[in-house]
Amino acid sequence: MQFYSTNNKELRVDLKEAVIRSLPADNGLYMPETITPLPASFWAKWREMSLPELGFHVAKQILGDSIPEDALRDIVNQAISFDAPVVKIADHTHVLELFHGPTLAFKDFGARFMARTMAYLNRDDDSMLTVLVATSGDTGGAVASAFHNVEGTRVIILYPKGGVSDLQEKQLTTLGGNITALEVEGSFDDCQAMVKANFLDRDLMEKYNLTSANSINISRLIPQTFYYFDAARQLEEGKEPVFVIPSGNFGNLTAGLLAQKLGLPVRHWVAATNINDTVPRYLADGNYEPLPSSPTISNAMDVGAPSNFARMKDLFCDDWEAMRENISGLAFDDEETRQTIREVKEYTGYTIDPHGAVGVLAAEAWHQASPDDECIILETAHPSKFLPTMEEELGKGSVEIPERLACLADLPKEAHKVTNDPKEILKFL
């Protein structure tokens, strides 16, 4: 399988170049040259497969012969060692719990698969692999966990000062070893721009063997397709889900679109954002106008210029009408989000985090016109990662903190304070 740049389909590279180098030189994003629907033999058995087995078949369909079957099966089996249950919270309303991995966030799917894929692709290379990543919340912790003490790698994580929750910050600043955290004076968009600027310097990339762990990296997206298949088969046979996706950098939605291209039947997509509503505005009027991001209680969605929008446009051949026929965009503010956290708990007994609450709002809006559709809302992180907000709305002690997160609370934070100048990263390379 070859991969092309969204800015130039004539530019083709193999999987190793696409994964290890992350970004094409023309500042596009890599996409597989072909996306062929899964064969009838897969659909005959997909409901009986384990999640890792299902993931193997999906990954193989995307990657072709880029990784031998035995190696790919090992990568998937090692990476996907936890479940993603669908929980019904009301009539026609379900939550896909993606927080059962080691760092309690959906990013564990992508980070663990990516780490093992990179290790395989870099197995014959003697040079140190440097993973450079920007985070608005959970990416940093998942990547830090996935790569911690992995031989031949080091990780530099950029995060916005005050832009992640306390426990999210502890997940990426307490590991030490081959993990370095940079606390940036600026927004997530600034962090993302700093990373991209360094990747566009090809000499720098080669000198330090730079790679990215953000969703700009195609190996992050591939495993995120797995749980769409897994969620859809947890519904009654014959029911096509409406997936409601709390969205920031739009990697999750892009992965879902890839799953649909592979043949997964999906009724509709709903992109749910907070006040950082660049994509909902585009879907409304066809004008793409990124704005500086604004801080909210659903911090992982505080993205003004989502990177994966380029892939979304590519998948729809830059056809605005086609995109808006398949995707609806809805935006909500913090006051609405807070009220929904309280109401979901009161009326269903379910504890939902601020990002999932934005998804609930979007599902409710969708159900006003289509009340019998089966909505599956992606719950992307465990509520305990947003403890101050959760306890403000539900009361002290209302959210149980899993031990693997609670044990971080008293560990000392180790982070380097930097400005938002891309050259700051050079000090740590």
Side-chain angles (χ1 to χ4, degrees):
M1 177 66 71
Q2 295 282 296
F3 297 82
Y4 65 82
S5 168
T6 53
N7 284 343
N8 177 11
K9 291 195 175 184
E10 301 304 312
L11 193 160
R12 304 289 173 105
V13 301
D14 63 12
L15 179 66
K16 182 173 182 179
E17 175 71 14
V19 171
I20 300 299
R21 292 294 166 250
S22 305
L23 275 179
D26 62 7
N27 200 25
L29 294 177
Y30 284 120
M31 288 288 286
E33 61 179 347
T34 58
I35 305 172
T36 305
L38 286 149
S41 57
F42 169 82
W43 297 108
K45 299 178 179 178
W46 75 300
R47 288 184 175 273
E48 286 72 49
M49 293 178 185
S50 67
L51 176 52
E53 181 69 11
L54 186 153
F56 164 74
H57 286 282
V58 172
K60 180 171 172 49
Q61 190 72 3
I62 297 172
L63 296 176
D65 58 359
S66 296
I67 299 177
E69 284 194 13
D70 288 348
L72 181 60
R73 194 181 293 276
D74 286 344
I75 288 170
V76 175
N77 286 342
Q78 291 172 27
I80 314 303
S81 57
F82 44 90
D83 293 326
V86 172
V87 178
K88 183 177 180 179
I89 63 170
D91 288 344
H92 308 297
T93 304
H94 313 263
V95 170
L96 172 57
E97 293 185 343
L98 297 173
F99 53 70
H100 292 279
T103 70
L104 305 172
F106 82 96
K107 303 294 178 72
D108 285 322
F109 282 86
R112 289 167 62 82
F113 180 91
M114 179 182 56
R116 287 154 179 80
T117 300
M118 286 183 175
Y120 173 81
L121 295 173
N122 208 49
R123 65 195 184 283
D124 297 325
D125 196 332
D126 294 332
S127 59
M128 173 79 71
L129 185 65
T130 300
V131 182
L132 193 58
V133 60
T135 186
S136 58
D138 291 317
T139 293
V143 170
S145 171
F147 282 92
H148 187 225
N149 290 335
V150 172
E151 189 175 349
T153 67
R154 59 176 176 163
V155 179
I156 299 175
I157 302 172
L158 289 76
Y159 70 98
K161 180 180 179 180
V164 301
S165 75
D166 291 344
L167 286 175
Q168 283 176 322
E169 186 177 40
K170 286 297 181 76
Q171 284 187 307
L172 52 98
T173 62
T174 57
L175 288 175
N178 63 332
I179 311 297
T180 300
L182 306 185
E183 185 178 14
V184 177
E185 287 282 354
S187 66
F188 169 72
D189 291 327
D190 292 323
C191 298
Q192 189 163 249
M194 293 169 72
V195 169
K196 281 192 169 184
N198 280 270
F199 280 120
L200 292 175
D201 185 333
R202 306 305 284 189
D203 291 337
L204 190 71
M205 283 187 69
E206 292 179 9
K207 180 178 180 181
Y208 293 107
N209 204 15
L210 290 183
T211 189
S212 171
N214 283 102
S215 57
I216 58 175
N217 194 306
I218 190 67
S219 68
R220 262 277 306 275
L221 285 181
I222 291 169
Q224 290 177 236
T225 63
F226 302 170
Y227 45 73
Y228 288 102
F229 288 87
D230 191 48
R233 67 180 179 170
Q234 293 181 58
L235 294 182
E236 181 184 339
E237 192 162 0
K239 296 288 187 181
E240 293 188 359
V242 173
F243 281 109
V244 182
I245 306 173
S247 301
N249 217 18
F250 280 80
N252 239 339
L253 181 50
T254 303
L257 295 173
L258 283 174
Q260 189 174 32
K261 288 279 188 181
L262 291 169
L264 181 68
V266 177
R267 166 92 168 83
H268 197 72
W269 302 96
V270 180
T273 73
N274 54 32
I275 58 173
N276 297 285
D277 60 348
T278 298
V279 172
R281 285 187 288 106
Y282 169 80
L283 292 169
D285 60 19
N287 295 314
Y288 184 69
E289 297 177 355
L291 298 173
S293 60
S294 299
T296 72
I297 59 171
S298 49
N299 62 283
M301 297 153 62
D302 295 346
V303 183
S307 285
N308 281 286
F309 183 70
R311 285 191 172 114
M312 292 170 61
K313 288 180 67 178
D314 183 78
L315 286 165
F316 286 101
C317 301
D318 206 6
D319 185 336
W320 170 64
E321 290 285 357
M323 189 185 291
R324 72 196 300 255
E325 283 179 13
N326 285 273
I327 306 171
S328 297
L330 298 167
F332 304 93
D333 62 26
D334 277 358
E335 184 177 345
E336 294 171 294
T337 305
R338 289 180 180 276
Q339 181 178 341
T340 300
I341 291 171
R342 297 192 301 270
E343 290 179 350
V344 169
K345 184 67 174 180
E346 179 180 355
Y347 296 121
T348 74
Y350 192 83
T351 303
I352 199 151
D353 91 299
H355 305 76
V358 173
V360 170
L361 284 161
E364 290 173 346
W366 178 263
H367 274 148
Q368 288 178 11
S370 303
D372 294 330
D373 282 350
E374 300 294 336
C375 285
I376 299 180
I377 302 157
L378 272 62
E379 174 69 329
T380 53
H382 194 279
S384 62
K385 301 185 84 169
F386 314 97
L387 205 57
T389 297
M390 298 305 299
E391 292 192 335
E392 284 170 9
E393 303 311 317
L394 302 181
K396 195 78 172 175
S398 57
V399 179
E400 182 179 352
I401 305 175
E403 175 56 29
R404 59 187 183 277
L405 193 59
C407 66
L408 302 176
D410 296 327
L411 295 180
K413 161 186 165 183
E414 294 184 13
H416 304 272
K417 298 181 184 297
V418 299
T419 70
N420 62 4
D421 184 345
K423 292 182 179 178
E424 290 270 21
I425 295 174
L426 292 175
K427 300 174 184 176
F428 302 92
L429 295 177

